[in-house]
Amino acid sequence: MKRIALLGATGSIGRQALEIIGAHPELELVAAASGSQPIDGVAPLTQVGGDLTDLLERARPDVVLNAVVGFAGLPATLWALERGIDLALANKESLVAAGELATSAWQRGGGRLLPVDSEHSAAYQCLESREPGTVHSLVLTASGGPFRGRSREELADVTPAEALAHPTWNMGPKITIDSATLANKGLELIEAHFLFGLEYERLEVVVHPTSTVHALVRFHDGAALAHLGYPDMRVPISFALTYPERTATPVPPLDLSVGLTLEFEAPDLETFPLLTLARQAGKQAGTYPCAFNAANEVAVAAFLEGRLPFLGIAETVEETLASVDGAPARELSELFEADAEARRLAERTAATA
Ligand SMILES: NC(=O)c1ccc[n+]([C@@H]2O[C@H](COP(=O)([O-])OP(=O)(O)OC[C@H]3O[C@@H](n4cnc5c(N)ncnc54)[C@H](OP(=O)(O)O)[C@@H]3O)[C@@H](O)[C@H]2O)c1
């Protein structure tokens, strides 16, 4: 029996996780949390908002599935990593923002960090815990989002409803907007750097519109291993929750008899500058990734509320990154300060855009 705590139970990942847990008698849901929606009766212990580590202390789970959206997921990520409790991580923002603090906690705790992001789950399976030195490079695939092929001029007036219409994945609003701007792939680059210990020069992004190949790892011996499957988050959720087993899901195996065309193209970095901004923030290190994430969260919220045009999201992040000092956070309080400062700057920029 594995005791699972599910944080973000009312969201897109959370609902799919409930389906996976419900189908596996060996998975026991001991606790569930949401941000504001009621979740009474979903699990023996529940919590709506507040400090989620209180719930985790009471629940004492074997696995924490962190499917909270945004920086709000950080305390739970650090709680699990520090204690060596297996962490199934969908909440990429916490690893991006906390960076070195999170990886130090992971090393001290010694537990498993199982990515739920489909690309990172795929890469994890291709890498099979091999040393970073054996790896030539890791390729993360991007669908390109709903605006693939459009020019900057064509994006000036796009609405939240248009940006929320993702071609291949059905996800929560924040990550869907991040997919439309390619900020999501930027966050994933930084996430991959911390998860797999690979330098940014060895992390590549390609656009692959059908989202069939989720990641590809090139090795120094000339071989490349890719992970293929239908775009369905129940697969990586199930992989993380049932690891090291591979148990059945309702998702069918890939059918090649219908003919499968795999197309790849370079991302359009000029139209979607957030990918380059994320790479730069990752390389600059310190609290630059935290500031990237904070400014992006503020800008996405402003866009969804109709206060900022689509192109203003990248402009807000760029101006914020140019204004912060990016100094490394030696402790959590300094990270929270860096996050708060970036949010203040981003709010100011977004208000004048
Ligand atoms: N959706 C996907 O397919 C997908 C794929 C890969 C990675 N991810 C990552 O998974 C995470 C969740 O994404 P999602 O698409 O599932 O988002 P979502 O549908 O918006 O759900 C977010 C969840 O977080 C909860 N939440 C928000 N603020 C909270 C707080 N302060 N304390 C506790 N819970 C809080 C929400 O509760 P309420 O409902 O009460 O607001 C909801 O349960 C994100 O980090 C995303 O990048 C998602």
Side-chain angles (χ1 to χ4, degrees):
M1 227 23 168
K2 260 193 207 177
R3 295 162 49 80
I4 315 278
L6 173 58
L7 311 179
T10 47
S12 162
I13 293 287
R15 290 191 304 272
Q16 295 175 82
L18 287 173
E19 183 189 332
I20 296 291
I21 295 166
H24 285 96
E26 71 279 15
L27 300 179
E28 182 190 3
L29 186 66
V30 294
S34 67
S36 55
Q37 292 193 65
I39 50 162
D40 284 354
V42 170
L45 294 172
T46 56
Q47 185 173 316
V48 178
D51 182 352
L52 299 185
T53 64
D54 289 344
L55 178 72
L56 295 173
E57 285 291 344
R58 284 187 287 143
R60 293 272 145 202
D62 300 318
V63 183
V64 175
L65 171 46
N66 188 351
V68 170
V69 62
F71 190 75
L74 178 65
T77 288
L78 294 177
W79 185 92
L81 292 175
E82 195 72 65
R83 284 160 185 75
I85 290 169
D86 286 1
L87 174 63
L89 185 67
N91 177 248
K92 66 191 92 183
E93 295 93 337
S94 55
L95 186 57
V96 168
E100 283 86 10
L101 286 180
T103 44
S104 304
W106 181 19
Q107 274 161 13
R108 282 193 301 272
R112 287 188 187 121
L113 175 41
L114 293 154
V116 170
D117 233 336
S118 61
E119 296 79 359
H120 303 71
S121 174
Y124 185 94
Q125 293 169 57
C126 294
L127 285 162
E128 272 191 275
S129 308
R130 283 178 206 279
E131 285 304 309
T134 64
V135 176
H136 173 276
S137 50
L138 164 61
V139 182
L140 299 174
T141 53
S143 71
F147 302 139
R148 181 174 63 88
R150 293 212 199 172
S151 65
R152 277 184 73 75
E153 295 67 43
E154 289 169 326
L155 295 180
D157 298 322
V158 293
T159 63
E162 289 172 282
L164 285 170
H166 195 277
T168 49
W169 295 98
N170 187 7
M171 310 178 285
K174 194 258 177 182
I175 184 175
T176 306
I177 302 303
D178 286 349
S179 299
T181 61
L182 289 198
N184 182 48
K185 221 39 64 174
L187 292 168
E188 288 182 11
L189 267 185
I190 302 173
E191 181 187 12
H193 168 76
F194 288 117
L195 273 174
F196 305 122
L198 294 170
E199 306 91 338
Y200 287 96
E201 288 71 22
R202 290 200 280 163
L203 297 171
E204 186 182 336
V205 171
V206 296
V207 172
H208 169 52
T210 56
S211 305
T212 308
V213 175
H214 301 131
L216 180 146
V217 179
R218 302 188 189 100
F219 292 92
H220 284 303
D221 61 4
L225 294 185
H227 180 291
L228 283 75
Y230 294 115
D232 192 313
M233 287 308 295
R234 289 173 299 181
V235 178
I237 293 169
S238 173
F239 180 83
L241 290 182
T242 65
Y243 187 87
E245 310 294 329
R246 289 192 88 106
T247 55
T249 73
V251 182
L254 199 61
D255 181 2
L256 300 179
S257 69
V258 293
L260 186 64
T261 309
L262 299 180
E263 287 176 316
F264 301 93
E265 62 194 44
D268 177 352
L269 299 177
E270 204 176 311
T271 307
F272 301 102
L274 279 160
L275 184 53
T276 303
L277 288 170
R279 191 182 277 281
Q280 280 166 3
K283 282 185 177 173
Q284 285 172 298
T287 49
Y288 280 105
C290 174
F292 174 90
N293 177 66
N296 183 56
E297 284 189 26
V298 166
V300 169
F303 170 67
L304 284 171
E305 289 160 18
R307 293 187 279 120
L308 187 69
F310 184 78
L311 295 175
I313 301 175
E315 286 161 13
T316 300
V317 174
E318 184 169 14
E319 283 198 34
T320 303
L321 286 172
S323 308
V324 296
D325 71 10
R330 285 158 300 182
E331 52 193 60
L332 201 51
S333 60
E334 292 181 356
L335 189 71
F336 277 106
E337 274 170 35
D339 173 77
E341 174 64 3
R343 279 171 203 271
R344 264 194 301 277
L345 290 165
E347 288 289 3
R348 211 169 55 198
T349 308
T352 55

